[in-house]
Amino acid sequence: MPHSKITHDTVTAAVKKGTGKNKLPHSWKDPLHLLSRFLVKPHSVGSIWPSSQHLARAMIDGVALKPGDVIVEYGPGTGPFTQLLRNHVAAGVDYIGIEYDKNLYKNLTTRFSEMRFHHGSAEDTAAILKHYKLKPASLIISGLPFANMPTALQERILNATQEALLEDGMFRTFSYLLSSMRPRITHFQKMVSIRFNEKHQSTTVLRNFPPARVFSFSRPVMQK
Ligand SMILES: C[S@@+](CC[C@H](N)C(=O)[O-])C[C@H]1O[C@@H](n2cnc3c(N)ncnc32)[C@H](O)[C@@H]1O
Protein backbone atom coordinates (compact mmCIF):
# COMPACT_ATOMS: atom_id res chain seq x y z
CA MET A 1 0.00 0.00 0.00
CA PRO A 2 1.55 3.38 -0.92
CA HIS A 3 2.45 5.41 2.15
CA SER A 4 0.58 8.53 1.06
CA LYS A 5 -2.75 6.70 0.82
CA ILE A 6 -2.69 5.35 4.35
CA THR A 7 -4.99 7.18 6.75
CA HIS A 8 -5.34 6.96 10.51
CA ASP A 9 -8.39 4.75 10.03
CA THR A 10 -6.49 2.28 7.88
CA VAL A 11 -3.84 1.99 10.59
CA THR A 12 -6.47 1.32 13.25
CA ALA A 13 -8.31 -1.17 11.03
CA ALA A 14 -5.15 -3.04 10.08
CA VAL A 15 -4.00 -3.19 13.69
CA LYS A 16 -7.37 -4.44 14.95
CA LYS A 17 -7.69 -7.03 12.20
CA GLY A 18 -4.16 -8.39 12.49
CA THR A 19 -2.61 -10.64 9.92
CA GLY A 20 -2.34 -14.39 9.71
CA LYS A 21 1.29 -14.20 10.83
CA ASN A 22 0.37 -12.34 14.01
CA LYS A 23 -2.10 -15.00 15.03
CA LEU A 24 0.54 -17.71 14.95
CA PRO A 25 1.95 -18.75 18.30
CA HIS A 26 5.61 -18.07 18.96
CA SER A 27 8.13 -20.42 17.51
CA TRP A 28 8.70 -23.32 19.90
CA LYS A 29 12.39 -22.46 19.62
CA ASP A 30 11.97 -19.00 21.26
CA PRO A 31 12.12 -20.14 24.90
CA LEU A 32 15.21 -22.24 24.14
CA HIS A 33 16.84 -19.32 22.36
CA LEU A 34 16.17 -16.85 25.20
CA LEU A 35 17.26 -19.42 27.80
CA SER A 36 20.55 -20.04 25.93
CA ARG A 37 21.25 -16.27 25.84
CA PHE A 38 20.28 -15.97 29.54
CA LEU A 39 22.89 -18.60 30.38
CA VAL A 40 25.54 -16.53 28.56
CA LYS A 41 24.45 -13.09 29.87
CA PRO A 42 22.04 -13.54 32.82
CA HIS A 43 22.03 -9.90 33.94
CA SER A 44 21.39 -8.20 30.62
CA VAL A 45 18.94 -10.83 29.25
CA GLY A 46 17.17 -10.91 32.62
CA SER A 47 14.57 -13.57 31.89
CA ILE A 48 14.57 -17.27 31.03
CA TRP A 49 11.20 -17.21 29.30
CA PRO A 50 9.81 -14.89 26.58
CA SER A 51 6.74 -12.78 27.39
CA SER A 52 3.39 -14.39 26.58
CA GLN A 53 0.98 -13.20 23.91
CA HIS A 54 -1.27 -12.04 26.79
CA LEU A 55 1.41 -9.70 28.11
CA ALA A 56 2.24 -8.63 24.54
CA ARG A 57 -1.40 -7.66 23.96
CA ALA A 58 -1.49 -5.74 27.26
CA MET A 59 1.67 -3.87 26.18
CA ILE A 60 0.03 -2.78 22.92
CA ASP A 61 -3.48 -2.27 24.32
CA GLY A 62 -5.11 1.00 23.29
CA VAL A 63 -2.17 2.16 21.19
CA ALA A 64 -3.45 4.49 18.46
CA LEU A 65 -0.84 5.66 15.98
CA LYS A 66 -0.95 7.23 12.56
CA PRO A 67 1.23 6.64 9.49
CA GLY A 68 4.62 8.28 9.92
CA ASP A 69 4.59 8.03 13.73
CA VAL A 70 7.65 6.37 15.26
CA ILE A 71 7.64 3.38 17.65
CA VAL A 72 10.82 2.34 19.44
CA GLU A 73 11.07 -1.07 21.10
CA TYR A 74 13.76 -1.66 23.73
CA GLY A 75 15.07 -5.22 24.09
CA PRO A 76 12.82 -7.10 21.63
CA GLY A 77 14.54 -10.39 22.55
CA THR A 78 12.85 -13.17 20.59
CA GLY A 79 10.09 -10.75 19.47
CA PRO A 80 6.81 -11.39 21.33
CA PHE A 81 5.94 -7.67 21.26
CA THR A 82 7.57 -7.16 17.85
CA GLN A 83 5.18 -9.70 16.38
CA LEU A 84 2.21 -7.49 17.31
CA LEU A 85 3.95 -4.23 16.41
CA ARG A 86 4.39 -5.65 12.92
CA ASN A 87 0.74 -4.72 12.21
CA HIS A 88 1.52 -1.07 12.86
CA VAL A 89 4.52 -1.22 10.54
CA ALA A 90 2.39 -2.78 7.80
CA ALA A 91 0.09 0.22 8.18
CA GLY A 92 2.81 2.86 7.72
CA VAL A 93 4.21 3.44 11.21
CA ASP A 94 8.03 3.67 11.48
CA TYR A 95 9.57 1.11 13.84
CA ILE A 96 13.02 0.58 15.29
CA GLY A 97 13.95 -2.18 17.72
CA ILE A 98 17.10 -1.70 19.82
CA GLU A 99 18.62 -4.99 20.97
CA TYR A 100 21.84 -5.31 22.97
CA ASP A 101 22.49 -9.01 22.46
CA LYS A 102 24.11 -9.62 19.06
CA ASN A 103 22.78 -13.14 18.67
CA LEU A 104 19.17 -12.08 19.42
CA TYR A 105 19.61 -9.02 17.17
CA LYS A 106 20.68 -11.20 14.22
CA ASN A 107 17.74 -13.53 14.74
CA LEU A 108 15.32 -10.55 14.78
CA THR A 109 16.67 -9.19 11.48
CA THR A 110 16.03 -12.57 9.82
CA ARG A 111 12.68 -13.26 11.40
CA PHE A 112 11.18 -9.77 10.96
CA SER A 113 12.99 -8.82 7.77
CA GLU A 114 10.55 -6.00 6.96
CA MET A 115 11.35 -4.22 10.27
CA ARG A 116 14.37 -2.14 11.31
CA PHE A 117 16.65 -3.20 14.18
CA HIS A 118 19.72 -1.63 15.71
CA HIS A 119 22.36 -3.58 17.60
CA GLY A 120 23.12 -1.36 20.58
CA SER A 121 21.89 -0.04 23.90
CA ALA A 122 18.68 1.78 24.77
CA GLU A 123 20.77 4.38 26.61
CA ASP A 124 21.71 5.73 23.14
CA THR A 125 18.13 5.98 21.81
CA ALA A 126 18.14 9.70 21.06
CA ALA A 127 21.39 9.38 19.05
CA ILE A 128 20.11 6.23 17.30
CA LEU A 129 16.93 8.03 16.14
CA LYS A 130 19.08 10.86 14.75
CA HIS A 131 21.37 8.36 13.03
CA TYR A 132 18.42 6.77 11.16
CA LYS A 133 16.86 10.24 10.53
CA LEU A 134 13.77 9.23 12.49
CA LYS A 135 11.46 11.73 14.22
CA PRO A 136 11.04 11.71 18.01
CA ALA A 137 8.97 8.69 19.08
CA SER A 138 5.24 8.62 19.77
CA LEU A 139 5.65 5.37 21.68
CA ILE A 140 8.54 3.60 23.39
CA ILE A 141 7.81 0.01 24.43
CA SER A 142 10.35 -1.55 26.77
CA GLY A 143 11.13 -5.20 27.39
CA LEU A 144 14.25 -4.33 29.40
CA PRO A 145 15.15 -6.11 32.65
CA PHE A 146 15.25 -2.96 34.83
CA ALA A 147 15.20 -5.11 38.00
CA ASN A 148 18.70 -6.42 37.17
CA MET A 149 20.22 -3.19 35.92
CA PRO A 150 22.68 -0.93 37.74
CA THR A 151 20.83 2.20 38.76
CA ALA A 152 23.18 4.44 36.74
CA LEU A 153 22.25 2.54 33.56
CA GLN A 154 18.54 2.79 34.43
CA GLU A 155 18.94 6.56 34.68
CA ARG A 156 20.86 6.85 31.41
CA ILE A 157 18.10 4.89 29.65
CA LEU A 158 15.39 7.05 31.23
CA ASN A 159 17.21 10.25 30.21
CA ALA A 160 17.50 8.98 26.63
CA THR A 161 13.81 7.98 26.70
CA GLN A 162 12.75 11.46 27.81
CA GLU A 163 14.89 13.01 25.09
CA ALA A 164 13.63 10.66 22.36
CA LEU A 165 9.88 11.04 23.06
CA LEU A 166 7.44 13.57 21.63
CA GLU A 167 5.74 15.88 24.12
CA ASP A 168 2.56 13.77 23.84
CA GLY A 169 4.48 10.50 23.58
CA MET A 170 4.17 7.47 25.83
CA PHE A 171 6.66 5.12 27.50
CA ARG A 172 5.45 1.60 28.36
CA THR A 173 7.24 -1.01 30.36
CA PHE A 174 6.37 -4.06 32.43
CA SER A 175 7.42 -5.38 35.78
CA TYR A 176 7.15 -8.91 37.13
CA LEU A 177 4.93 -9.08 40.19
CA LEU A 178 7.62 -10.68 42.35
CA SER A 179 10.19 -8.02 41.39
CA SER A 180 8.25 -5.05 42.65
CA MET A 181 9.89 -5.05 46.10
CA ARG A 182 13.45 -5.30 44.76
CA PRO A 183 15.55 -2.21 45.54
CA ARG A 184 16.45 -1.62 41.89
CA ILE A 185 12.79 -1.63 40.88
CA THR A 186 11.96 0.77 43.71
CA HIS A 187 14.74 3.04 42.42
CA PHE A 188 13.50 2.68 38.84
CA GLN A 189 9.90 3.53 39.82
CA LYS A 190 11.12 6.64 41.66
CA MET A 191 13.31 7.77 38.75
CA VAL A 192 10.64 7.20 36.10
CA SER A 193 7.96 8.95 38.18
CA ILE A 194 9.93 12.21 38.34
CA ARG A 195 10.42 12.18 34.56
CA PHE A 196 6.74 11.80 33.61
CA ASN A 197 3.63 13.67 34.71
CA GLU A 198 1.19 10.80 34.27
CA LYS A 199 1.32 7.13 35.21
CA HIS A 200 -1.11 4.30 34.61
CA GLN A 201 -0.82 0.74 35.88
CA SER A 202 -2.62 -2.24 34.31
CA THR A 203 -4.25 -5.09 36.18
CA THR A 204 -1.95 -8.08 36.64
CA VAL A 205 -1.47 -10.23 33.55
CA LEU A 206 -1.62 -13.67 35.15
CA ARG A 207 -1.11 -15.58 31.93
CA ASN A 208 2.57 -14.75 31.78
CA PHE A 209 5.55 -16.40 33.42
CA PRO A 210 6.01 -14.77 35.88
CA PRO A 211 2.78 -12.69 36.14
CA ALA A 212 3.43 -9.05 35.28
CA ARG A 213 1.92 -5.57 35.24
CA VAL A 214 2.18 -2.99 32.49
CA PHE A 215 3.09 0.59 33.40
CA SER A 216 2.37 3.46 31.00
CA PHE A 217 4.04 6.84 31.50
CA SER A 218 2.96 9.90 29.54
CA ARG A 219 3.50 13.66 29.39
CA PRO A 220 7.31 13.52 29.78
CA VAL A 221 8.79 16.40 31.77
CA MET A 222 10.55 18.31 29.01
CA GLN A 223 14.27 18.85 29.52
CA LYS A 224 15.55 22.42 29.23
C1 LIG B 1 13.69 -9.87 29.71
S1 LIG B 1 14.30 -9.97 28.03
C2 LIG B 1 12.74 -9.52 27.24
C3 LIG B 1 12.66 -9.92 25.80
C4 LIG B 1 11.30 -9.68 25.17
N1 LIG B 1 10.99 -8.26 25.07
C5 LIG B 1 10.22 -10.38 25.95
O1 LIG B 1 9.43 -9.66 26.59
O2 LIG B 1 10.19 -11.61 25.91
C6 LIG B 1 15.27 -8.44 27.94
C7 LIG B 1 15.86 -8.11 26.58
O3 LIG B 1 16.48 -6.81 26.68
C8 LIG B 1 17.77 -6.86 26.06
N2 LIG B 1 18.59 -5.79 26.66
C9 LIG B 1 19.17 -5.76 27.88
N3 LIG B 1 19.80 -4.59 28.10
C10 LIG B 1 19.59 -3.83 26.98
C11 LIG B 1 19.96 -2.50 26.61
N4 LIG B 1 20.69 -1.71 27.42
N5 LIG B 1 19.54 -2.04 25.40
C12 LIG B 1 18.81 -2.82 24.57
N6 LIG B 1 18.44 -4.09 24.86
C13 LIG B 1 18.82 -4.59 26.06
C14 LIG B 1 18.26 -8.27 26.33
O4 LIG B 1 19.30 -8.66 25.46
C15 LIG B 1 16.95 -9.06 26.12
O5 LIG B 1 16.73 -9.36 24.78
Side-chain angles (χ1 to χ4, degrees):
M1 196 185 298
H3 201 278
S4 57
K5 289 199 179 153
I6 299 169
T7 64
H8 190 201
D9 288 348
T10 48
V11 175
T12 311
V15 169
K16 278 193 179 147
K17 188 171 161 233
T19 66
K21 278 180 192 167
N22 292 306
K23 287 178 186 156
L24 284 175
H26 288 181
S27 159
W28 61 269
K29 292 180 192 155
D30 288 352
L32 289 182
H33 193 188
L34 199 69
L35 175 61
S36 69
R37 299 315 298 159
F38 176 83
L39 293 175
V40 178
K41 294 185 194 167
H43 290 290
S44 72
V45 173
S47 168
I48 56 167
W49 203 259
S51 297
S52 69
Q53 283 299 293
H54 303 279
L55 181 57
R57 275 197 284 274
M59 287 292 280
I60 316 298
D61 187 41
V63 163
L65 296 169
K66 54 187 187 311
D69 282 351
V70 172
I71 303 181
V72 180
E73 183 181 5
Y74 292 165
T78 53
F81 306 158
T82 321
Q83 192 159 317
L84 292 187
L85 293 173
R86 185 186 238 170
N87 289 335
H88 289 271
V89 174
V93 170
D94 262 331
Y95 166 93
I96 183 160
I98 304 174
E99 175 52 60
Y100 189 67
D101 182 275
K102 194 163 192 179
N103 190 294
L104 292 169
Y105 158 78
K106 280 190 181 158
N107 185 54
L108 289 161
T109 57
T110 315
R111 180 147 173 213
F112 302 98
S113 53
E114 75 280 31
M115 295 168 85
R116 184 195 285 116
F117 296 95
H118 179 85
H119 175 225
S121 173
E123 70 207 277
D124 299 319
T125 301
I128 292 167
L129 290 186
K130 280 189 194 129
H131 173 80
Y132 289 96
K133 298 192 171 40
L134 289 168
K135 294 190 305 192
S138 298
L139 177 67
I140 298 183
I141 295 267
S142 170
L144 297 179
F146 286 112
N148 295 342
M149 249 178 219
T151 52
L153 178 57
Q154 292 181 349
E155 290 182 33
R156 287 201 298 278
I157 292 174
L158 288 174
N159 290 343
T161 301
Q162 241 181 323
E163 199 184 334
L165 270 178
L166 284 174
E167 222 164 309
D168 60 351
M170 181 184 279
F171 173 55
R172 264 196 190 170
T173 185
F174 68 87
S175 180
Y176 298 129
L177 218 49
L178 300 175
S179 307
S180 58
M181 299 306 279
R182 289 174 67 177
R184 285 180 179 178
I185 281 296
T186 314
H187 180 85
F188 172 76
Q189 290 288 0
K190 200 168 144 196
M191 288 299 113
V192 74
S193 297
I194 59 175
R195 287 169 169 84
F196 289 87
N197 292 307
E198 276 173 21
K199 171 180 168 180
H200 176 266
Q201 185 179 319
S202 77
T203 54
T204 304
V205 180
L206 293 170
R207 291 167 82 181
N208 189 69
F209 177 72
R213 277 183 301 211
V214 175
F215 293 87
S216 304
F217 298 92
S218 49
R219 299 210 299 118
V221 174
M222 285 294 145
Q223 290 156 319
K224 288 179 191 146

